[in-house]
Structures are given as structure tokens and as C-alpha cells.
Amino acid sequence: MNTENHSLSNIGKVLSVRGSVIDVEFVKKLPAIFSLLHAKNGKISIEILAHLNSHSVRGIALTPTQGLCRGDEIEDTGGPLKVPVGKEILSRMFNVFGETIDREKELGEVEWRSIHRSPPPLSNRSTKSEIFETGIKVIDVLVPLERGGKAGLFGGAGVGKTVLLTEIIHNMIRQQKGVSIFCGIGERCREGEELYREMKEAGVLENMVMIFGQMNESPGSRFRVGHAALTMAEYFRDDEHRDVLLLIDNIFRFIQAGMEVSGLMGQMPSRLGYQPTLGTELSGLEERIANTNSGSITSIQAVYVPADDLTDPAAVHTFSHLSASIVLSRKRASAGLYPAIDLLQSSSKMSTPGIVGERHYHLAQEIRQTLARYEELKDIIAMLGLEQLAQEDRNVVDRARRLERFLTQPFFATEQFSGIEGKIVGLKDSLDGCERILRDEFKDYPENSLYMIGNIYEAKKKKKEGPPKDKVKIKMEDKHANITHDA
């Protein structure tokens, strides 16, 4: 740093260092809230979150603070944290500072924008509701997603949130040629590396941007990576007028990082230890995801549910922002029914006759009624056996079990593990298959012929071939269904 620039800079002095919390004194000029400070020649970055008095500020470090001491000089950068935007960022992987971490060539001349931006005004927002097709049967039929809306993937650990997100990215880029931005908040570095490699091998990386705030990084860094990803997405929506798919894995880690930052800043915790500003912080992120007249940002967010408790404040606050909620079930996952989506707890605001059409709406309602009746009958089957049910109820059980198996689907993301080729299924084929099962056209087909197929016509082919060898087996949830009951 030359002496002339050094004298013109706003230089402060470290008053105290408490882990990631740094207090800095500025004699000349007090920097604004959210200003970025640098120490140790830019190796340590600090974001200002509070003014303590007319000469000192308190900030949270976005990088490790080893080596920082009282009295060290701190330089005010004169602005907030910024990230690069533009076509040049496609196919690249970034950290929260907009630095490439994919070991490829350096970025050329790019525009840098602040990560702190206002949501689009209501006058610029689109009032038209459209369906966003994913190519995944169970989502398109029962939980249709909104173009420019927000959908949540709710589930505990290990039920398939990341696999489902990966599959949606794959299908979206193959079918719609849009831009995908994957934002990993508090992700394992292994998952980021695997996703990058898989997307490269699938040939979809050229229309994709990846940005990560990894699990081992400071809470300040994890807390800001979502805002950084949104700034990149807003460029493609507002400047290039393109449709963007923003995938966030995991929004709970954003809330968790905010909780850590709040605790470090000395704020009194609220219910269950969450920060008192939880609602405001989440709204500040979610409201920027919107469908405007020039383009749309469609967001799909994985939401880790602590202890599978949907009444947890993190889940409740997230629910209020979503147009669709996809709940993943551990019970269905253990039964081998993938994607393990709970068909009765999942819901979508798009599922109305005016948006999806009369046929789709009534068909989805009939599927839900059939599955709900099957749930009611499970206790009777467990106690008395299937043979004691009335014929009408037996038919309901038969249809429900076939529907459950038809709504499973082989994924491109899991080909290497399952040995089954991935499938993309159009909405028309998905609706036709469900309708034909409800009309008992496949009553004489074995249940297994409908398991892990694409469209319904594959069931006929599977029936001719006989039972599959060395494939994924279903763990039947009703083992008692075939046992005869003595009167």
C-alpha cells in the first residue's frame, strides 16, 4: 500500500477482539453500517453491524481472526461487500467474497455489485401465475411449483433434500435452457465438490453458477452468502431478462448463522434460542426472490427441520414465505419410495382450478382422497387383516399402493447408485398415468411393475420382462397384507 493512498484512506484502530466480534475506533470518519473493513493487508474482512458511539463500531469477521491484535490498523473500504455479476460468472464456483474457488482461470473485467439490495417494488412485479414444470411426477401432479415463486423442501437429515435439488437443476437446464444458481449455505465441502463434478460431467455447468459458504467458515460468511447469490440472480433477471432457478441448500443454515451472529453481538435470544430478528432477517432475503415484468427468480430451498419438528420457529417462519411446501418423509424413505415426498403433508398454493386447470385439479384431489383413505385403513389392516375390509375399501387400498409406486421415479443424480437410468416425465404423461390407475386399468398388474418407471407405458414392458434382478427392492410397509386371517 503506497503512502499517498494510505493517508487518504479512513484508517481505524482495533479496540478489542472477542472471537469473531471486533470493536474498531475511527477518529476521522465513522463508516456506515454494512461497510466492509480490511485488516492485515486484506487477509481479514470485517462487516460493521453496529455503531457503539460517535467514534467506534462493532463488526463481525467474515474470515478467521487469528493474528489480529489490539492496536492493529483497520482500513475502511468505503462500501459494502460486493460480488461479480455478468455472463463471465457462468460455469464458475465462488465464495462469499466473489473470489473463484474452482482452480480455473481468473475472472476478466466484471462489474461488481453490493450484496445489500432492496426487493423489487410492487409496481414492477408480475401478477400472472404460471406453473414451473420440473419433470418429476409427484411434484408436477400434487405440488406444482410457481414460476417466480418460492418452494421449500422440508425434511430431517438424510431423507434426500440435496439429491432432489440436484435432480431439479439437471432437469431445468436440460429442458428450459435457463440459468441456475446453486447457493450452498453451511454445506460440507465434499457435497460442493461432488455437485460441481456431477454438473460438469452432465454438461450443464455452462448455464450454472455455484456459490458456497462452507460449514467450516465463520458465521458472518455463512450469513451473507445467500445475499451474494441473490445479487448474481438479480443481474440475470433484471439486466438479461432471463428466468433464473435459484437453489438454496440449506435455508436453515442461514437462520442458524444469523443465530450465531446475533449471539456473538450480545443480543438476547428469543424462543428456543433463535435470534429476536429472525423474521426480519429471513424476510430481507426472501422478498428479493420475485417474479417481475422482465424475468423471474424461481427459488427452491432445502429446509432442515430440527428433530423433524415442523412447529420449530425456523420451519414456521420459512413456511410463511413459500408458495409450495414439499415435505420429505423418513417413513417413505425407509420403505424405498423415492423421492420420499409425503404426499398428504406437501401442499401448493398453485393447486387451484384457475391455475392448473379443472382436470389436473380434480385428479390431484382424487389422488389425495385415495391416499388419505388408505392411511385411515392402515390401522384396521394391521389389526384385522386386508380380507376383513369391504370390497370398496380393498379397491381403495389397491389403487393407493399402485399410485404410491407409480409416483416414484429414477433420478439422473442417483444412476450410479441404483443402476436405473434416470427419467424426465412430462406433466401430461404423469396425469394420464395417475388417471388410468384410478380407473383400475392396471388392477391386474403387479405393484412392482409400476415402481421406479417413467411414464405408465413402461409398466407394460416391465410386466413382460418379469421381476427385476439386482435392482432396488421395496421394503413393503404392509407385510401383513398377504397374510390370511382366520375368522
Side-chain angles (χ1 to χ4, degrees), residues 28-198:
K28 193 169 22 170
K29 180 188 170 189
L30 201 67
I33 296 284
F34 298 145
S35 289
L36 190 67
L37 311 178
H38 281 160
K40 300 286 182 185
N41 294 325
K43 290 178 184 174
I44 297 174
S45 299
I46 301 157
E47 186 180 55
I48 296 175
L49 293 184
H51 285 170
L52 300 179
N53 53 49
S54 58
H55 289 295
S56 56
V57 297
R58 178 167 290 167
I60 198 91
L62 306 180
T63 51
T65 54
Q66 284 93 333
L68 193 65
C69 309
R70 280 185 181 182
D72 280 356
E73 285 193 346
I74 298 277
E75 184 186 4
D76 174 20
T77 61
L81 182 61
K82 294 180 179 178
V83 290
V85 296
K87 291 179 181 174
E88 295 81 6
I89 69 171
L90 288 171
S91 81
R92 305 303 300 270
M93 190 196 287
F94 298 91
N95 63 13
V96 71
F97 301 105
E99 299 164 346
T100 54
I101 53 172
D102 52 10
R103 298 181 184 174
E104 298 289 333
K105 63 178 183 181
E106 288 294 317
L107 281 179
E109 284 293 316
V110 287
E111 184 188 345
W112 291 74
R113 289 187 184 173
S114 165
I115 66 165
H116 300 284
R117 299 169 67 83
S118 301
L122 284 173
S123 56
N124 291 356
R125 299 202 181 202
S126 172
T127 54
K128 190 168 63 173
S129 292
E130 289 180 64
I131 295 300
F132 176 84
E133 275 193 47
T134 62
I136 298 169
K137 290 181 285 191
V138 63
I139 293 177
D140 290 344
V141 172
L142 291 176
V143 203
L145 305 185
E146 179 186 11
R147 185 178 297 282
K150 297 177 274 281
L153 280 178
F154 290 83
V159 291
K161 296 185 294 296
T162 304
V163 170
L164 195 51
L165 281 183
T166 309
E167 188 68 10
I168 291 169
I169 294 173
H170 184 277
N171 292 2
M172 190 264 188
I173 292 177
R174 275 187 60 167
Q175 284 184 301
Q176 303 182 29
K177 308 295 181 193
V179 176
S180 283
I181 295 180
F182 184 91
C183 173
I185 305 176
E187 281 297 283
R188 301 165 187 87
C189 55
R190 168 185 59 79
E191 291 177 339
E193 191 275 331
E194 283 174 2
L195 184 66
Y196 179 79
R197 193 159 21 86
E198 283 165 14

Side-chain angles (χ1 to χ4, degrees), residues 111-380:
E111 184 188 345
W112 291 74
R113 289 187 184 173
S114 165
I115 66 165
H116 300 284
R117 299 169 67 83
S118 301
L122 284 173
S123 56
N124 291 356
R125 299 202 181 202
S126 172
T127 54
K128 190 168 63 173
S129 292
E130 289 180 64
I131 295 300
F132 176 84
E133 275 193 47
T134 62
I136 298 169
K137 290 181 285 191
V138 63
I139 293 177
D140 290 344
V141 172
L142 291 176
V143 203
L145 305 185
E146 179 186 11
R147 185 178 297 282
K150 297 177 274 281
L153 280 178
F154 290 83
V159 291
K161 296 185 294 296
T162 304
V163 170
L164 195 51
L165 281 183
T166 309
E167 188 68 10
I168 291 169
I169 294 173
H170 184 277
N171 292 2
M172 190 264 188
I173 292 177
R174 275 187 60 167
Q175 284 184 301
Q176 303 182 29
K177 308 295 181 193
V179 176
S180 283
I181 295 180
F182 184 91
C183 173
I185 305 176
E187 281 297 283
R188 301 165 187 87
C189 55
R190 168 185 59 79
E191 291 177 339
E193 191 275 331
E194 283 174 2
L195 184 66
Y196 179 79
R197 193 159 21 86
E198 283 165 14
M199 295 298 117
K200 199 169 187 176
E201 286 168 6
V204 297
L205 195 62
E206 61 186 27
N207 284 311
M208 191 174 174
V209 183
M210 299 171 79
I211 180 165
F212 284 92
Q214 294 169 34
M215 201 175 260
N216 62 321
E217 292 182 25
S218 69
S221 173
R222 284 180 274 125
F223 188 54
R224 290 301 178 209
V225 73
H227 299 94
L230 264 167
T231 300
M232 293 174 172
E234 285 165 345
Y235 167 82
F236 290 108
R237 179 192 66 190
D238 301 335
D239 293 41
E240 299 221 351
H241 309 306
R242 293 175 74 175
D243 288 340
V244 184
L245 177 63
L246 173 65
L247 299 114
I248 301 176
D249 188 7
N250 183 310
I251 200 72
F252 174 78
R253 305 284 176 217
F254 167 77
I255 293 168
Q256 196 176 44
M259 183 163 57
E260 290 178 52
V261 168
S262 174
L264 288 166
M265 294 296 289
Q267 292 179 328
M268 184 72 75
S270 179
R271 184 169 158 240
L272 294 183
Y274 286 101
Q275 64 270 41
T277 51
L278 167 60
T280 314
E281 288 168 0
L282 191 61
S283 300
L285 185 78
E286 297 282 7
E287 287 303 303
R288 287 171 65 182
I289 301 167
N291 190 4
T292 67
N293 297 324
S294 58
S296 68
I297 299 175
T298 303
S299 175
I300 300 172
Q301 307 165 9
V303 186
Y304 167 70
V305 181
D308 291 347
D309 177 19
L310 290 171
T311 63
D312 187 90
V316 170
H317 277 276
T318 308
F319 264 124
S320 62
H321 292 281
L322 306 174
S323 55
S325 302
I326 301 168
V327 180
L328 297 174
S329 153
R330 199 172 299 282
K331 191 177 173 186
R332 283 180 66 81
S334 64
L337 299 168
Y338 293 102
I341 294 171
D342 190 314
L343 306 175
L344 296 175
Q345 275 199 302
S346 302
S347 62
S348 169
K349 292 174 184 172
M350 295 295 100
S351 200
T352 61
I355 297 171
V356 297
E358 292 284 345
R359 181 195 174 217
H360 184 164
Y361 173 74
H362 290 301
L363 204 53
Q365 291 297 98
E366 195 177 343
I367 292 167
R368 286 184 188 280
Q369 285 165 8
T370 305
L371 295 169
R373 181 64 183 146
Y374 176 41
E375 280 298 315
E376 290 170 10
L377 293 170
K378 275 184 179 177
D379 287 342
I380 300 171

Side-chain angles (χ1 to χ4, degrees), residues 331-338 401-402 404-406 408 446-452 462 468 471-479:
K331 191 177 173 186
R332 283 180 66 81
S334 64
L337 299 168
Y338 293 102
R401 289 178 65 84
R402 278 166 172 72
E404 282 185 336
R405 277 140 192 81
F406 175 64
T408 61
E447 289 174 1
N448 201 46
S449 66
L450 296 163
Y451 177 67
M452 284 293 168
K462 207 168 177 184
K471 297 285 182 186
V472 180
K473 294 179 182 177
I474 311 178
K475 179 182 172 187
M476 308 298 260
E477 64 261 41
D478 291 331
K479 293 177 182 175

